[in-house]
């Protein structure tokens, strides 16, 4: 059968029937010159506007469902040839701030020279009646941006970038996009979120860059190091980095010489730091190397400069006990004494052991000593919790340290330290290396610091294991709470969390006992999925009166599989929020009413990795969503939607630092690669009122037998010891 004949046609876009900016696929209705009926044109090409005049190259096809279509292999936008088309084009949204009314005025003033005026004599727009100076300036800016954007979009897509990716690249580089990408396409892996080595490599290959270039090898080395830090490590052996880079490069020859050269260049350019540790060569990103040194020196300095509050402790405890009518246990009193005696102290312990009570007693002691105190936590939710439990305002560490989203710097630092005398930081297991370094850099002289957290939980989402390493160094005072308090004894959640920590299987509720922890036996992933939907939608709300979207969170070990986050989100969305205005991004439809999660730190909009929100509005014309996070609304344009994911279900790692009224946890043998004791422990301790395990007993046994603590390769522990030896040889800490 002969291939369809290729043709070139010209016409004006009268309607955009469908478009998907992820794939670039669009369905247009085009009024073709010399053709009576409008033609359906389909294909993948840059975003276009109604009224645009286009030249399309392709061939006719008959679709069994949609009839005759013209499949375009290429689309080129042309200038409109009629005044009506020109009006429609300019009023279609191609220039921000120009709608049909202003478009009509511009065309009335300049006729078929309108585009020439916009291109070459834009100041003449002041001749148009009704256009004020500020609007004219905005139109000039918008037209220049639109022209630059279109050129960049065509350039990037010609080299293999999707429309959505091209838009993100253009947002980063602006009018300099083509120059920057042509000069060094691999630079995008550093500058543009979502561009990894493979994406940049595809674009570079389309531009003809050699596969054995040092630039390509350097980009692969840096990508391999990002893969290491994404896994939570701050250092890695040189051999590991070489192996990861070799896999990325996929060269037909021995890649060792060029990778060695690339690593050497990265070290010379101070992108990576190489150290010798016990006759092995290890590498770390410069940023994390500096962060670990900063944490270590900050700890040593704070310990050396601090003074004891031991004389205040006994009186403070007596006053606190009288005020709240609580008697501290000997273990709790010892924790307060340790905090009083040490400028830097860790307070750690599992659920139900009274950490909150001790924090309140410590706060009372600091205030009684006339110290200015600030409370903080890594996330907004954690800060809100400590505010509720202490009655004193707490804030996120980003807010405390005055993070500047434009410069990506912390305004509070060594030159401009924090203005307080004592700091209590809750959920410290969530603090990664760079945030901890920023905190220690901003501590004022002689300040006191209490790090509160459960070191048995999973470590931070970002690289490092700061709380674990600080405790393991044995150079920082540590108060451990182990005894379950009376309130905790009434909770099966607390009892089972401690059993899991000790490697024992969780207990089921007994008649007349606590009814807050249940185990439902399931083995098949699909059956597990169905059971979870039934629990969240019907059984839990009916029995416990909890809202299925607001109060119930599904926590799963993995993303993939029928009992993974992706499949569970699809099932729960269909059950809990099946209809309403929505915008589709890839395979996911975001619908008004959906629970969603932010996937990366976005300092410009003050939302952070792991933040939960609800979609409150969808603008289908602008293809944007409004999401409410606690007390603020954030607008997401279509190009930003890959920063969101549905959050009816999320991974256990993503839940760290959060608490929910109820959690439902699938745990199956298909999750075996992720199963560990502290993974299960972390999941169970997220539930405040109710925990339901939908689990295979064999999977629980596997998790309990695996005492893996999500081990991370770091150098912080050794650096702390070195810093203390240098700064405090007499062991003042």
């Amino acid at each position: 059968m002969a291939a369809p004949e290729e043709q070139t046609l010209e016409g004006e876009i009268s309607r955009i029937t469908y478009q998907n900016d992820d794939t670039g696929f669009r369905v247009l209705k085009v009024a073709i010159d010399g053709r009576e009926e409008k033609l359906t044109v389909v294909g993948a090409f840059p975003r276009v506007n109604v009224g645009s005049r286009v030249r399309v190259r392709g061939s006719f096809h008959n679709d069994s469902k949609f009839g005759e279509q013209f499949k375009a292999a290429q689309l080129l936008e042309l200038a409109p040839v009629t005044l009506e088309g020109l009006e429609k084009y300019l009023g279609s949204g191609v220039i921000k701030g120009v709608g049909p009314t202003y478009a009509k005025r511009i065309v009335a003033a300049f006729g078929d020279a309108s585009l020439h005026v916009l291109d070459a004599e834009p100041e003449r727009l002041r001749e148009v009646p009704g256009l004020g100076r500020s609007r004219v300036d905005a139109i000039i800016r918008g037209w220049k941006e639109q022209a630059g954007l279109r050129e960049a979009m065509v350039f990037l897509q010609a080299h293999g970038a999707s429309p959505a990716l091209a838009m993100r690249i253009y947002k980063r580089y602006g009018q300099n996009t083509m120059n920057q990408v042509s000069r060094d396409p691999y630079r995008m892996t550093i500058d543009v979120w979502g561009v990894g080595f493979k994406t940049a490599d595809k674009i570079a290959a389309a531009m003809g860059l050699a596969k054995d270039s040092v630039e390509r090898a350097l980009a692969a080395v840096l990508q391999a190091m990002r893969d290491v830090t994404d896994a939570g490590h701050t250092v890695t052996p040189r051999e590991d980095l070489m192996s990861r880079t070799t896999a990325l490069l996929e060269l037909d020859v021995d890649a060792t010489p060029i990778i060695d050269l690339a690593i050497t260049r990265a070290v010379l350019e101070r992108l990576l730091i190489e150290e010798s540790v016990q006759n092995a060569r290890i590498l770390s990103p410069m940023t994390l190397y500096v962060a670990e040194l900063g944490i270590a020196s900050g700890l040593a300095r704070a310990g050396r400069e601090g003074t004891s509050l031991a004389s205040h402790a006994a009186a403070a405890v007596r006053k606190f006990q009288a005020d709240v009518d609580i008697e501290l246990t000997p273990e709790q009193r010892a924790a307060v004494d340790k905090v009083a005696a040490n400028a830097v102290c860790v307070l750690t312990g599992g659920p139900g052991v009274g950490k909150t009570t001790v924090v309140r007693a410590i706060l009372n002691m600091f205030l009684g000593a006339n110290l200015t105190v600030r409370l903080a936590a890594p996330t907004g939710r954690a800060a809100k919790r400590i505010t509720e439990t202490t009655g004193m305002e707490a804030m996120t560490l980003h807010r405390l340290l005055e993070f500047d989203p434009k410069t990506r710097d912390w305004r509070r630092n060594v030159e401009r330290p924090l203005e307080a005398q004592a700091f209590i930081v809750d959920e410290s297991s969530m603090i990664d290396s760079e945030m901890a370094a920023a905190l220690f850099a901003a501590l004022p002289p002689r300040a006191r610091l209490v790090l509160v957290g459960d070191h048995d939980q999973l470590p931070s989402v970002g690289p490092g294991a700061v709380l674990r390493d600080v405790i393991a160094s044995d150079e920082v005072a540590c108060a451990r709470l182990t005894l379950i308090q009376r309130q905790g004894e009434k909770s099966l959640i607390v009892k089972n969390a401690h059993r899991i920590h000790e490697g024992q299987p969780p207990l089921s509720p007994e008649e007349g006992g606590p009814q807050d922890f249940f185990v439902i036996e399931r083995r098949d992933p699909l059956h597990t999925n169905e059971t979870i939907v039934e629990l969240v939608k019907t059984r839990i709300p009916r029995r416990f009166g909890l809202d299925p979207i607001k109060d119930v969170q599904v926590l799963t070990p993995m993303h993939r599989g029928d009992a993974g986050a992706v499949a569970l989100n699809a099932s729960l969305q269909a059950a809990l929020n099946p209809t309403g205005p929505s915008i589709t991004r890839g395979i996911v439809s975001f619908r008004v009413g959906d629970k969603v999660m932010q996937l990366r730190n976005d300092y410009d909009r003050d939302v952070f990795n792991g933040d939960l929100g609800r979609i409150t509005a969808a603008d289908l014309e602008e293809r944007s969503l409004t999401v409410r996070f606690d007390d603020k609304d954030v607008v997401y344009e279509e190009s930003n939607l890959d920063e969101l994911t549905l959050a009816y279900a999320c991974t256990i790692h993503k839940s760290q630092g959060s608490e929910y009224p109820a959690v439902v946890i699938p745990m199956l043998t298909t999750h075996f690669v992720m199963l560990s004791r502290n993974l299960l422990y972390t999941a169970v301790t997220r539930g405040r009122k109710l925990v339901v395990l939908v689990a295979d007993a064999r999977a629980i046994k596997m998790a309990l037998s695996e005492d893996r603590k999500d081990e991370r390769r770091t150098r912080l522990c050794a650096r702390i010891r070195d810093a203390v030896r240098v700064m405090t040889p007499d062991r003042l800490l």
Side-chain angles (χ1 to χ4, degrees):
M1 192 173 192
E5 181 184 356
E6 189 171 85
Q7 301 181 47
T8 299
L9 306 174
E10 288 188 13
E12 183 179 295
I13 298 174
S14 60
R15 190 169 83 240
I16 299 173
T17 305
Y18 173 83
Q19 58 183 341
N20 183 329
D21 280 343
D22 273 343
T23 62
F25 181 76
R26 307 181 197 282
V27 180
L28 314 175
K29 285 290 187 182
V30 182
I32 299 294
D33 297 348
R35 180 184 169 101
E36 190 172 329
E37 292 183 358
K38 292 183 175 64
L39 178 65
T40 299
V41 176
V42 300
F45 31 77
R47 180 180 277 271
V48 289
N49 296 276
V50 171
S52 296
R53 184 166 179 79
V54 294
R55 180 182 297 143
V56 290
R57 179 175 57 80
S59 55
F60 284 94
H61 293 261
N62 274 305
D63 185 276
S64 59
K65 184 176 181 181
F66 299 107
E68 185 183 56
Q69 294 181 334
F70 188 83
K71 291 191 175 180
Q74 184 184 68
L75 179 145
L76 179 65
E77 189 167 5
L78 308 171
V81 295
T82 67
L83 295 184
E84 182 185 0
L86 196 53
E87 278 186 25
K88 194 183 296 184
Y89 173 66
L90 293 178
S92 66
V94 67
I95 311 173
K96 194 169 185 178
V98 176
T101 300
Y102 287 118
K104 193 175 188 69
R105 292 181 186 179
I106 292 171
V107 174
F110 304 117
D112 55 12
S114 297
L115 295 182
H116 170 78
V117 169
L118 285 164
D119 282 331
E121 303 175 276
E123 67 281 353
R124 289 190 58 196
L125 288 170
R126 305 189 198 285
E127 301 171 17
V128 179
L131 287 186
R133 178 179 294 274
S134 61
R135 185 172 290 275
V136 167
D137 291 342
I139 291 173
I140 292 172
R141 284 196 305 273
W143 181 253
K144 287 181 178 178
E145 289 172 3
Q146 189 273 343
L149 170 61
R150 183 159 299 280
E151 288 179 2
M153 293 286 282
V154 170
F155 168 78
L156 290 168
Q157 290 177 76
H159 290 94
S162 70
L165 176 59
M167 179 63 75
R168 210 157 52 235
I169 295 169
Y170 180 80
K171 280 189 173 182
R172 175 62 179 83
Y173 295 131
Q175 301 292 322
N176 197 39
T177 296
M178 290 187 287
N179 181 44
Q180 176 62 51
V181 175
S182 298
R183 189 172 66 247
D184 184 4
Y186 293 107
R187 178 72 195 183
M188 293 185 293
T189 63
I190 298 172
D191 293 340
V192 184
W193 183 79
V195 177
F197 173 76
K198 290 186 177 179
T199 300
D201 201 36
K202 180 182 175 183
I203 294 172
M207 296 171 60
L209 270 69
K211 292 193 71 173
D212 60 351
S213 69
V214 176
E215 288 76 16
R216 181 171 185 262
L218 176 61
V221 165
L222 297 179
Q223 178 64 57
M225 183 57 81
R226 275 193 295 276
D227 293 341
V228 167
T229 58
D230 285 347
H233 310 296
T234 63
V235 301
T236 197
R238 187 183 177 101
E239 294 77 12
D240 176 65
L241 192 63
M242 293 277 293
S243 175
R244 290 172 181 268
T245 305
T246 300
L248 285 171
L249 288 175
E250 296 180 334
L251 292 176
D252 296 331
V253 297
D254 181 13
T256 303
I258 194 170
I259 297 174
D260 274 328
L261 187 59
I263 291 176
T264 299
R265 180 168 159 181
V267 172
L268 288 173
E269 293 182 10
R270 308 293 282 175
L271 299 171
L272 302 180
I273 295 293
E274 188 167 25
E275 301 174 274
S276 179
V277 179
Q278 297 177 345
N279 298 321
R281 306 298 297 177
I282 64 167
L283 288 143
S284 57
M286 168 63 85
T287 52
L288 295 179
Y289 170 80
V290 171
E292 288 193 340
L293 288 180
I295 297 167
S297 62
L299 271 170
R301 184 186 69 250
R304 182 184 62 182
E305 294 176 343
T307 57
S308 175
L309 290 179
S311 60
H312 294 271
V317 167
R318 285 195 299 272
K319 183 177 185 306
F320 174 74
Q321 292 181 144
D323 289 345
V324 300
D325 194 24
I326 292 176
E327 184 174 350
L328 298 184
T329 66
E331 185 180 63
Q332 290 174 321
R333 287 199 298 273
V336 176
D337 289 340
K338 187 162 284 191
V339 170
N342 294 275
V344 181
C345 188
V346 172
L347 174 65
T348 188
V353 296
K355 286 199 303 293
T356 298
T357 300
V358 173
V359 167
R360 290 168 61 198
I362 292 167
L363 177 60
N364 185 277
M365 176 178 66
F366 285 165
L367 294 174
N370 295 317
L371 300 181
T372 306
V373 186
R374 303 291 289 276
L375 306 181
T379 67
R381 285 174 171 264
K384 187 176 180 180
R385 263 201 329 273
I386 192 171
T387 297
E388 292 169 349
T389 56
T390 63
M392 182 174 178
E393 183 187 5
M395 61 183 67
T396 64
L397 284 169
H398 283 90
R399 186 176 159 205
L400 176 72
L401 299 169
E402 297 179 18
F403 185 82
D404 185 341
K406 293 182 179 178
T407 63
R408 299 293 195 267
D409 290 326
W410 310 87
R411 293 195 184 106
R412 293 292 182 175
N413 48 43
V414 173
E415 288 77 26
R416 187 170 171 259
L418 293 163
E419 297 171 356
Q421 297 160 296
F423 301 87
I424 300 174
V425 181
D426 200 12
E427 294 290 355
S428 294
S429 63
M430 294 182 65
I431 302 176
D432 62 31
S433 297
E434 292 189 80
M435 183 176 284
L439 173 62
F440 281 105
L443 282 182
R446 293 174 294 283
R448 310 188 70 81
L449 175 66
V450 183
L451 298 174
V452 184
D454 184 351
H455 73 288
D456 288 315
Q457 290 183 19
L458 295 170
S460 58
V461 174
V466 174
L467 186 64
R468 181 203 70 182
D469 289 345
V470 168
I471 294 172
S473 73
D474 289 328
E475 300 290 356
V476 177
C478 182
R480 300 174 189 267
L481 300 176
T482 59
L483 300 176
I484 299 175
Q485 302 304 298
R486 283 195 298 273
Q487 300 92 328
E489 291 173 351
K490 301 174 183 177
S491 168
L492 199 53
I493 296 174
V494 170
K495 184 177 292 186
N496 279 335
H498 286 270
R499 286 179 61 85
I500 289 166
H501 178 255
E502 294 162 4
Q504 301 175 32
L507 301 172
S508 295
E510 298 177 354
E511 189 174 343
Q515 301 291 304
D516 59 359
F517 194 109
F518 299 86
V519 181
I520 298 174
E521 177 76 18
R522 292 290 184 270
R523 290 192 172 190
D524 175 67
L526 188 57
H527 192 193
T528 299
N529 184 305
E530 294 167 350
T531 299
I532 288 172
V533 171
E534 182 189 3
L535 284 165
V536 175
K537 182 181 180 181
T538 306
R539 292 168 61 180
I540 291 175
R542 185 171 59 205
R543 178 167 177 181
F544 297 95
L546 297 173
D547 183 284
I549 297 179
K550 184 178 71 173
D551 297 330
V552 184
Q553 184 63 49
V554 177
L555 304 178
T556 179
M558 298 177 70
H559 284 287
R560 302 194 179 279
D562 288 328
V566 175
L568 284 165
N569 270 316
S571 298
L572 289 164
Q573 183 193 47
L576 300 174
N577 193 33
T579 60
S582 66
I583 294 176
T584 299
R585 176 79 171 174
I587 62 171
V588 179
S589 288
F590 292 102
R591 190 169 292 134
V592 172
D594 278 338
K595 178 162 62 174
V596 292
M597 177 182 286
Q598 173 75 10
L599 291 176
R600 75 177 185 103
N601 290 339
D602 189 328
Y603 303 107
D604 293 321
R605 291 182 293 185
D606 196 33
V607 286
F608 301 96
N609 189 358
D611 282 357
L612 287 178
R614 291 283 291 275
I615 298 175
T616 57
D619 188 326
L620 303 185
E621 288 191 12
E622 294 292 331
R623 293 187 63 78
S624 66
L625 298 174
T626 300
V627 180
R628 171 154 285 257
F629 292 95
D630 293 328
D631 57 351
K632 65 176 177 288
D633 289 328
V634 179
V635 176
Y636 288 79
E637 297 175 357
E638 187 173 18
S639 59
N640 301 126
L641 291 182
D642 53 3
E643 297 180 16
L644 290 177
T645 187
L646 293 177
Y648 300 98
C650 69
T651 62
I652 297 168
H653 281 81
K654 282 286 188 184
S655 73
Q656 190 185 0
S658 297
E659 279 188 357
Y660 314 94
V663 296
V664 179
I665 308 162
M667 192 150 288
L668 307 176
T669 55
T670 52
H671 299 140
F672 73 95
V673 294
M674 296 297 297
L675 297 181
S676 68
R677 193 181 301 175
N678 68 324
L679 184 86
L680 179 56
Y681 174 84
T682 298
V684 165
T685 54
R686 300 308 88 206
R688 193 163 60 246
K689 298 179 180 178
L690 176 67
V691 172
V692 182
L693 268 177
V694 185
D696 185 336
R698 297 172 300 173
I700 293 177
K701 187 175 181 180
M702 289 169 63
L704 294 175
S705 65
E706 177 54 81
D707 197 18
R708 180 176 60 213
K709 289 185 179 289
D710 198 5
E711 293 298 338
R712 296 187 167 186
R713 295 190 295 271
T714 74
R715 287 275 294 147
L716 179 57
C717 185
R719 298 194 205 284
I720 292 171
R721 290 170 179 163
D722 291 343
V724 170
R725 289 189 183 98
V726 170
M727 298 184 72
T728 57
D730 52 351
R731 286 296 194 274
L732 291 177
L733 273 177

